[in-house]
Amino acid sequence: MNKPNDLAIRATDPNDIDSNASHDNHFNSILNARLSRRNWLRGSAVTAATAVMGSMGLSACGGDSDAAAVTPTPTPTPEKLLAFTAVPKSLADVVSVPAGYTATALYALGDSLRAATPAYKNDGSDTDFDNRAGDHHDGMEYYGLSAAGAPLASGAERGLLAMNHEATTDEKLSSHFLHVNGGTTTLPRPAAEVDKEVAVHGLSVVEVKKTGSAWATVNDSAFNRRVTPLTDVELAGPVRGNALVVTKYSPTGTKTRGTINNCGTGKSPWGSYLSGEENWAGYFTRSAADNAARGDKSVVSLNRYGRSQGAASRHGWETGGSDDKYARWNLSKIGASADGSDDYRNELNGMGYIVEMDPYDKTRAIRKRTALGRYAHESAAFSVPTVGQQLAVYMGDDSRNEYIYKFVTTAVWAAADANPADRIATGDKYLDSGKLYVAKLAADGTGQWIELSLSNALIQAYGAYKFADLADVLVNARLAADAVGATKMDRPEWCSVNPANGEIYYTLTNNSNRTVNPSGSSQLAPDSANPRAYTDMKGSSAQNGNPNGHIIRFKEGTGAAAATSFTWDVYLFGAESGADASKINLSNLTADQDFSSPDGLAFSPYTGICWIQTDDGAYTDVTNCMMLAAIPGKVGDGAKSTLNYATAAGGNLAVDTFIGKKPTADTLKRFLVGPVGSEITGISETPDGKTMFINIQHPGENTALANIGDPSKYTSQWPANAGYGAGKRPRSATIVITKNDGGRIGS
Ligand code: FEO
Ligand code: CA
Ligand code: CA
């Protein structure tokens, strides 16, 4: 067994991987960024540099007395969206929301989902995570219930939260907050630690209910569900039954085991839950001699998806024991079979999809919708359904220099499917047959959707990889997109469709590989759609490339959802408000609006507000991550601009781009700032727009393993410091946000 490189595991942020290039990765810059961030966090003692206006902290605002005071006669003020006072940037270890709003922790890592599982002690001794909330709450959707508990889309006082549990807070191999003394950091990993770490990944469904004005989860609800990386999952669509997914677990290639590293989400027009598998590759190991053992094109595929031979797994789960549930984390070709039915050489091909779950029926198996392609998925956003027309599903691949995709259904939308008898069968109808496209953006503000199939001559003739059939194209969507010359983007995160006009918004969170003078194939010069390359200082640490990210938006051309052309502009550029407005702060963000590394993004179907959330490491010397409320315009409402860069050779690189209309104080405003070390994610609301649920992921993530057991050294103690739950270890959690006057969120 190879001993993994501990530093590499710790240093490689799994959200910040690139595989689309020669693999001379940016180990040192990533490591330096990590270390400087950690040092700052340790040295700062978390002093709140700014007043936390109206935040009150959770302990001050979540009490029953507040609830009692506002429940009887809420008197909503006449609604004006974004009328709240902007929340200042903050380094405080609390959730800050505007005056007049209340934010309360609701559902945290380890919370029990059934009566037989005891309350969470939060000291590393807890077990039975198959029946508890998972870790690293991420994308999330709300599904209404009637007062009697039947599925009812309009149900606003009782419902289900379905959510992703993306990952764990790690140091070296261990998810250290989950173990009494931080766990083991060498191989082999003890089975008990592995079993716990595996079980906190996947999905959960939890019932929530409003009593008076207070929301709580419902322990032992018949709807409560966990899906883990060990749950039996059906493969659906063109890849089902293909030779590429034959494994010891499923010699017929029709099933796989579980889902992992689930990040963004989607809610289908037929009421199912969609979840994107993102950084799944890192959980698997591959032996140093595996290329020769294979001797076929699968080596090209594995390299392109980030598993070159000798790759160590993130946690070493393959060392937990001889049971098959541990063996499946080893991708090496070790069996004698010709088809892979005696080992897990093909296991990676069963990961990397959009998975569909019926949130209302825990007896139904979840399905991986392979027609939508295999990559580092984030959210899945549907076009506005129109009866008699095809649907589009917009998606992105979040790694540096990866692509934007859309899937167009073969089936046309039928109104009756908005309330179907069988949500999974309806998913089969729309998501198992259609065409997958990748985006190619031109410098003139137009773009093309290019179909990924063997009907494309460039894919047929691709020299680096010979595609056998459509399933091969879908499993190796990144290679097919390479073949057609798709546009490499600055890490596509979430996307969402503006319900007002059907335009599609994509967050491009950041990219350290943009540079005016690229060297090596992984670095890219700025282009029109990814036009910034600059240096932002974080203390004494230089953040190079596009460290603050931007938000691009598309308007479909003729054919709407099925269009093969579009126009685009950049809605917003993330930046510090004090940065150079001619080169960096191109959207003229003020101190009430400035943000870095947009990640979560979703339009409210109820208020129309575009909610923007950050997962940042560049501006975190000044502020914790945040959520903003926006009222955007439309593609083309701004102006063309040219950015000029001096090249090392003494020339000028001129990059034309298209900057959307600059926001005002009435169209973009910071709504929330999270606790120390957290990212803000998950955007869901009740259908009256009056309750919002979001997730606080990985508070205190830079707490060193050596400090486990000494709460005074945890970089965050949220939500315990807000009065939620036992122990002092920080926990990812869902929070519920309400407006004290009973009004809609964002007004
Ligand atoms: Fe899990 Fe790309 O964020
Ligand atoms: Ca800075
Ligand atoms: Ca994300």
Side-chain angles (χ1 to χ4, degrees):
M1 186 58 57
N2 302 302
K3 179 173 165 43
N5 180 330
D6 290 339
L7 272 176
I9 287 178
R10 176 59 183 164
T12 303
D13 182 341
N15 257 335
D16 196 22
I17 297 164
D18 69 71
S19 304
N20 194 1
S22 60
H23 224 72
D24 57 339
N25 68 23
H26 304 269
F27 175 81
N28 285 323
S29 60
I30 297 167
L31 178 60
N32 290 338
R34 269 267 158 164
L35 292 177
S36 64
R37 185 177 177 193
R38 296 182 68 195
N39 290 341
W40 169 76
L41 283 164
R42 285 178 194 164
S44 72
V46 196
T47 50
T50 48
V52 184
M53 282 290 300
S55 74
M56 305 175 281
L58 289 177
S59 56
C61 65
D64 289 335
S65 53
D66 275 9
V70 300
T71 305
T73 51
T75 51
T77 47
E79 186 178 68
K80 175 178 183 287
L81 295 178
L82 274 56
F84 59 86
T85 301
V87 172
K89 295 184 285 290
S90 168
L91 294 168
D93 193 27
V94 301
V95 175
S96 304
V97 292
Y101 282 85
T102 297
T104 311
L106 181 71
Y107 176 63
L109 161 68
D111 279 353
S112 169
L113 289 168
R114 62 168 190 169
T117 298
Y120 196 55
K121 296 199 285 290
N122 193 24
D123 59 4
S125 70
D126 299 279
T127 58
D128 194 19
F129 281 89
D130 287 334
N131 293 296
R132 298 181 181 279
D135 204 352
H136 279 215
H137 305 37
D138 205 334
M140 171 170 62
E141 306 287 345
Y142 175 89
Y143 298 87
L145 292 170
S146 69
L152 177 68
S154 61
E157 305 211 328
R158 182 176 180 184
L160 306 175
L161 291 174
M163 74 185 73
N164 294 338
H165 295 289
E166 184 180 26
T168 59
T169 299
D170 308 335
E171 182 167 329
K172 298 181 180 172
L173 296 166
S174 179
S175 307
H176 51 297
F177 281 122
L178 297 179
H179 309 301
V180 174
N181 296 311
T184 55
T185 58
T186 55
L187 300 178
R189 303 289 316 284
E193 289 185 13
V194 173
D195 293 346
K196 195 186 282 195
E197 291 174 7
V198 170
V200 299
H201 289 73
L203 316 176
S204 72
V205 177
V206 62
E207 183 178 340
V208 292
K209 194 174 177 182
K210 188 179 177 188
T211 304
S213 65
W215 284 87
T217 58
V218 180
N219 186 257
D220 228 27
S221 164
F223 291 105
N224 290 354
R225 180 181 193 180
R226 278 302 315 280
V227 172
T228 77
L230 294 176
T231 304
D232 202 48
V233 177
E234 292 284 327
L235 292 170
V239 178
R240 180 180 174 87
N242 191 275
L244 291 172
V245 286
V246 167
T247 63
K248 188 176 178 185
Y249 183 72
S250 180
T252 56
T254 53
K255 295 195 303 182
T256 187
R257 199 159 19 188
T259 183
I260 198 164
N261 209 271
N262 304 78
C263 195
T265 53
K267 192 176 192 177
S268 71
W270 52 94
S272 66
Y273 177 80
L274 299 177
S275 170
E277 299 179 322
E278 189 191 12
N279 291 310
W280 33 275
Y283 292 85
F284 296 85
T285 189
R286 211 179 139 218
S287 81
D290 195 46
N291 285 358
R294 289 171 178 265
D296 62 14
K297 70 175 186 177
S298 68
V299 173
V300 178
S301 171
L302 287 158
N303 288 343
R304 183 65 179 82
Y305 281 85
R307 289 294 90 183
S308 51
Q309 67 175 351
S313 65
R314 179 171 174 170
H315 296 287
W317 290 342
E318 71 280 0
T319 66
S322 58
D323 191 283
D324 196 60
K325 70 182 180 181
Y326 308 115
R328 64 84 64 98
W329 302 108
N330 182 357
L331 302 174
S332 308
K333 182 179 178 181
I334 52 180
S337 70
D339 64 357
S341 58
D342 57 352
D343 61 16
Y344 289 98
R345 78 188 72 157
N346 293 325
E347 182 76 346
L348 205 63
N349 293 337
M351 294 289 174
Y353 299 101
I354 292 289
V355 301
E356 184 173 25
M357 172 172 71
D358 182 346
Y360 292 113
D361 188 349
K362 66 183 180 186
T363 70
R364 300 297 297 274
I366 70 170
R367 295 197 177 178
K368 299 203 178 188
R369 298 299 181 188
T370 64
L372 281 61
R374 175 174 164 268
Y375 36 95
H377 278 282
E378 288 282 342
S379 48
F382 283 79
S383 57
V384 179
T386 304
V387 171
Q389 294 188 14
Q390 292 163 285
L391 299 172
V393 187
Y394 299 95
M395 301 168 289
D397 183 354
D398 180 16
S399 278
R400 284 193 294 263
N401 306 344
E402 293 295 349
Y403 307 119
I404 283 174
Y405 297 83
K406 81 165 173 178
F407 173 79
V408 178
T409 63
T410 301
V412 299
W413 180 242
D417 287 333
N419 193 16
D422 185 330
R423 278 170 284 271
I424 294 294
T426 309
D428 295 345
K429 172 182 173 182
Y430 289 102
L431 297 181
D432 285 348
S433 175
K435 290 180 179 175
L436 183 66
Y437 297 84
V438 70
K440 186 170 186 174
L441 289 80
D444 64 357
T446 66
Q448 289 177 279
W449 292 112
I450 302 174
E451 185 183 341
L452 299 180
S453 77
L454 287 175
S455 67
N456 187 314
L458 291 171
I459 291 175
Q460 278 184 27
Y462 191 47
Y465 187 88
K466 181 73 180 159
F467 297 94
D469 50 25
L470 177 62
D472 202 356
V473 171
L474 297 169
V475 166
N476 292 291
R478 284 179 172 175
L479 287 164
D482 292 345
V484 302
T487 301
K488 298 178 178 183
M489 306 299 291
D490 287 350
R491 292 186 54 201
E493 280 270 3
W494 289 32
C495 55
S496 184
V497 172
N498 184 347
N501 60 15
E503 294 181 359
I504 309 102
Y505 286 62
Y506 276 92
T507 54
L508 299 167
T509 193
N510 55 55
N511 190 348
S512 55
N513 280 356
R514 288 281 166 197
T515 174
V516 179
N517 301 293
S519 65
S521 58
S522 65
Q523 292 195 328
L524 296 171
D527 62 24
S528 290
N530 305 276
R532 289 187 307 176
Y534 58 99
T535 297
D536 165 66
M537 295 307 296
K538 179 180 172 185
S540 59
S541 165
Q543 318 283 307
N544 297 313
N546 175 14
N548 303 126
H550 57 292
I551 301 173
I552 199 165
R553 60 186 171 188
F554 296 4
K555 177 184 175 63
E556 293 281 27
T558 305
T564 54
S565 65
F566 57 89
T567 52
W568 62 267
D569 70 7
V570 176
Y571 164 49
L572 285 176
F573 287 95
E576 300 179 8
S577 59
D580 183 340
S582 69
K583 295 187 174 69
I584 301 171
N585 187 13
L586 298 172
S587 297
N588 284 0
L589 303 181
T590 67
D592 284 344
Q593 302 167 323
D594 59 345
F595 68 92
S596 176
S597 300
D599 185 335
L601 184 149
F603 281 86
S604 166
Y606 316 114
T607 60
I609 290 173
C610 178
W611 295 98
I612 301 166
Q613 302 171 318
T614 68
D615 176 13
D616 186 39
Y619 205 12
T620 42
D621 52 340
V622 172
T623 183
N624 300 337
C625 290
M626 63 183 70
M627 180 166 77
L628 305 100
I631 302 175
K634 60 182 182 180
V635 170
D637 65 5
K640 184 175 174 178
S641 183
T642 303
L643 304 179
N644 290 294
Y645 296 99
T647 65
N652 180 65
L653 173 66
V655 178
D656 289 341
T657 191
F658 299 85
I659 304 174
K661 183 179 178 184
K662 290 169 184 166
T664 68
D666 290 330
T667 61
L668 179 64
K669 200 176 277 187
R670 189 178 304 106
F671 180 85
L672 176 148
V673 179
V676 174
S678 66
E679 76 172 85
I680 309 302
T681 183
I683 301 168
S684 52
E685 290 169 285
T686 54
D688 57 5
K690 294 180 177 178
T691 301
M692 175 175 248
F693 303 95
I694 69 164
N695 283 323
I696 306 296
Q697 189 186 103
H698 61 64
E701 73 162 344
N702 288 305
T703 299
L705 182 149
N707 291 332
I708 297 296
D710 181 354
S712 71
K713 292 181 177 168
Y714 299 166
T715 60
S716 170
Q717 293 187 8
W718 188 90
N721 65 4
Y724 188 90
K728 292 188 173 177
R729 298 181 183 210
R731 299 159 73 186
S732 297
T734 302
I735 65 171
V736 55
I737 302 169
T738 51
K739 195 167 185 229
N740 299 346
D741 70 0
R744 299 201 298 174
I745 307 303
S747 59

